[in-house]
Amino acid sequence: PLCLCWALGLGPAAAAAPNILLLLMDDMGWGDLGAFGEPSKETPNLDQMAAEGMLFLDFYTANPLCSPSRAALLTGRLPVRNGFYTTNAHARNAYTPQDIVGGIQDSELLLPELLKKAGYINKIIGKWHLGHRPQFHPLKHGFDEWFGSPNCHFGPYDNREHPNIPVYRDWEMIGRYYEDFKIDLKTGEANLTQLYLQEALDFISKQQASQQPFFLYWAIDATHAPVYASKQFLGTSQRGLYGDAVREIDDSIGKILRHLQQLGISENTFVFFTSDNGAALISAPKQGGSNGPFLCGKQTTFEGGMREPAIAWWPGHIPAGGVSHQLGNVMDLFTTSLSLAGLQPPSDRQIDGIDLLPVILQGKLIDRPIFYYRGNEMMAVRVGLYKAHYWTWSNSWEEYGKGTDFCPGQSVSGVTTHTQEEHTHLPLLFHLGRDPGEKFPLSFASEEYQQAMERISGIVQQHKDTLVPGEPQLNVCDKAVMNWSPPGCEKLGKCLKVPESDPEKCSWPH
């Protein structure tokens, strides 16, 4: 049997390569699942997935924002290496709005491109967010099929200053959000999650019938503000509209896992669930989730911004009820997926992700650091149970004064700072085992501080000495590159007039 090959360390080459299903949530927080302690216990399917698989308690994203973390997942590389960052202003979070000129470069090797070598058929459902100009299209970077959109479901836009976001099927748009794909901003009603669910079920059925291994990247966005859910879920959660969205996602994932079981392919399908970054507390509580005991949220490099819920599920291979304290990262999904397919990661570039299979299948722990980046700056690092902050910043006083708050209800003196504070000579150090909320910095004079920093300093120095940043993709904006006339717009009569090109430096307030 396949699991025996794994137990003997023979690897996937000794057996058929398993299907790979990555479930990536949008702005879902560590504290949003019952398995992670959410009080209303409204995620029975995900909680069962955790009970049948392995829960990762120390799993991180590579950036506290949507698009850079997705670029990291699909390349196995930190955003500062793959180009998903800005040099326009120090430590600014830059994402991929409609007017961004950059995107994923041809020089980057994406997971689906590599999986093709092992015969995988690859589909993305949902949000791409790695650039929306033609050269950045997912089908040019290894995916065979796409149902979803290049950007988030923001809007509705007026189609004069900003066009509404297109929804694609494969190469061409089939409509736009708010026009052809309804989202009611008053009630929060939209049937998008149901569409994304059906796409997943149909793709899995088709691939099972064709006997070809598949990679399905299910990157849905219902929990990103403006939050939405379909009619049968509206008003069903104790947590309001955000909870309704979580309940629908939970129900959908339950249906996907049951579908794998009914088709008899669950033991040949590796499934991993996580989120792109922490809950967006700026939208909470009505439109945002919970980061549990952790400090702050999305946009920050505190634990609330970067520690994510994570579950691995693979019946017959992963022992049920497992809990791992392995320091994991979304970039590991790149390397782990390649390992499942019997492939080696590219050797001509720095890969930051590690192979988690020894952790998942044999319960091993691999010593590795976690780097917390914000834009072009390494803000913090975690080594073992210690986290050292080299810079702290929540958001500027100016933005805070306008009502933007990334740490609502949380203020730790000298930590959740509204100016960028440098601590490179004396980093702020926390023991995340005793103090997961980052409230009690260790005394600089303590022996514990000295010993921990001695080890951490060497790791940071080596990282900085060998870091070769990629070409920043998020520096230049131009209204002419927005989604005015995507491929397929002519057939639909949905083309809009493209304004004259006027490139400018993007402004990133955070």
Side-chain angles (χ1 to χ4, degrees), residues 57-58 60 294 303 307 324-327 365-370 372 381-389 428-438 440 442 448 452-453 455-456 459:
L57 299 178
D58 297 81
Y60 290 87
F294 302 123
E303 291 297 285
R307 204 189 295 202
S324 178
H325 289 285
Q326 171 66 43
L327 299 194
L365 283 176
I366 300 164
D367 187 31
R368 63 90 74 89
I370 295 289
Y372 301 69
V381 64
R382 178 171 173 185
V383 174
L385 287 167
Y386 292 100
K387 180 178 179 185
H389 289 269
L428 294 181
L429 187 66
F430 295 91
H431 186 289
L432 294 179
R434 300 192 297 262
D435 176 27
E438 296 170 282
F440 307 103
L442 271 64
E448 184 181 7
M453 281 314 305
R455 179 165 182 229
I456 292 168
I459 289 166

Side-chain angles (χ1 to χ4, degrees), residues 111 116 139 176 238 265 306 326 334 390 393 402 437 441 458 488:
L111 177 58
K116 269 187 179 302
L139 270 59
R176 293 184 189 265
Q238 293 185 36
I265 56 172
M306 293 189 61
Q326 171 66 43
F334 172 89
Y390 286 73
W393 189 37
K402 293 179 193 167

Side-chain angles (χ1 to χ4, degrees), residues 25 55 140 156 173 184 248 335 364 390 418-419 436 488 497:
M25 303 303 103
L55 207 56
K140 287 199 170 172
M173 72 176 279
D184 188 323
E248 182 168 17
T335 313
K364 291 192 173 173
Y390 286 73
H418 289 291
T419 50
K497 188 170 183 283

Side-chain angles (χ1 to χ4, degrees), residues 72-346:
L73 186 159
L74 289 174
T75 62
R77 287 152 57 77
L78 284 164
V80 73
R81 296 192 214 275
N82 66 37
F84 269 73
Y85 72 105
T86 182
T87 53
N88 282 0
H90 178 252
R92 288 306 194 280
N93 284 321
Y95 60 109
T96 312
Q98 283 203 66
D99 54 352
I100 203 84
V101 170
I104 196 71
Q105 301 162 92
D106 285 341
S107 57
E108 291 297 324
L109 288 171
L110 272 62
L111 177 58
E113 291 177 72
L114 297 166
L115 288 175
K116 269 187 179 302
K117 294 176 183 173
Y120 279 74
I121 302 294
N122 309 309
K123 178 158 186 160
I124 169 175
I125 297 173
K127 183 164 116 182
W128 169 238
H129 224 197
L130 301 191
H132 52 273
R133 296 165 69 207
Q135 66 264 42
F136 306 130
H137 193 291
L139 270 59
K140 287 199 170 172
H141 293 273
F143 284 103
D144 299 295
E145 297 181 23
W146 181 25
F147 179 79
S149 83
N151 305 78
C152 212
H153 59 280
F154 282 150
Y157 295 119
D158 59 9
N159 284 344
R160 290 186 297 277
E161 285 293 310
H162 290 86
N164 272 323
I165 306 290
V167 175
Y168 280 77
R169 176 167 302 285
D170 300 333
W171 288 108
E172 297 186 340
M173 72 176 279
I174 52 171
R176 293 184 189 265
Y177 284 137
Y178 297 95
E179 297 168 28
D180 315 275
F181 294 87
K182 299 286 188 267
I183 304 171
D184 188 323
L185 289 175
K186 286 197 180 73
T187 64
E189 184 182 342
N191 70 338
L192 290 170
T193 301
Q194 292 303 309
L195 294 178
Y196 295 145
L197 166 62
Q198 197 56 51
E199 284 290 320
L201 299 176
D202 291 348
F203 176 73
I204 291 166
S205 295
K206 187 173 81 177
Q207 289 314 121
Q208 192 267 340
S210 74
Q211 301 283 301
Q212 270 187 292
F214 67 78
F215 166 49
L216 175 55
Y217 175 48
W218 200 63
I220 62 166
D221 64 2
T223 43
H224 188 300
V227 173
Y228 61 79
S230 56
K231 193 165 192 173
Q232 70 261 40
F233 288 93
L234 288 178
T236 64
S237 167
Q238 293 185 36
R239 305 178 64 196
L241 180 57
Y242 182 85
D244 296 342
V246 172
R247 288 201 65 225
E248 182 168 17
I249 288 169
D250 177 75
D251 182 77
S252 300
I253 290 172
K255 289 187 165 115
I256 290 170
L257 299 184
R258 280 194 294 280
H259 191 56
L260 293 170
Q261 289 168 324
Q262 284 158 3
L263 291 174
I265 56 172
S266 60
E267 293 200 1
N268 195 37
T269 306
F270 175 85
V271 186
F272 200 97
F273 168 94
T274 191
S275 176
D276 63 348
N277 47 250
L281 300 185
I282 187 174
S283 312
K286 290 187 176 172
Q287 295 268 331
S290 161
N291 294 314
F294 302 123
L295 187 61
C296 301
K298 179 180 178 177
Q299 303 254 19
T300 76
T301 48
F302 301 110
E303 291 297 285
M306 293 189 61
R307 204 189 295 202
E308 307 309 322
I311 304 166
W313 185 86
W314 191 13
H317 304 272
I318 299 175
V323 175
S324 178
H325 289 285
Q326 171 66 43
L327 299 194
N329 196 292
V330 292
M331 299 181 290
D332 302 342
L333 299 177
F334 172 89
T335 313
T336 305
S337 296
L338 292 179
S339 179
L340 285 163
L343 299 169
Q344 292 294 321

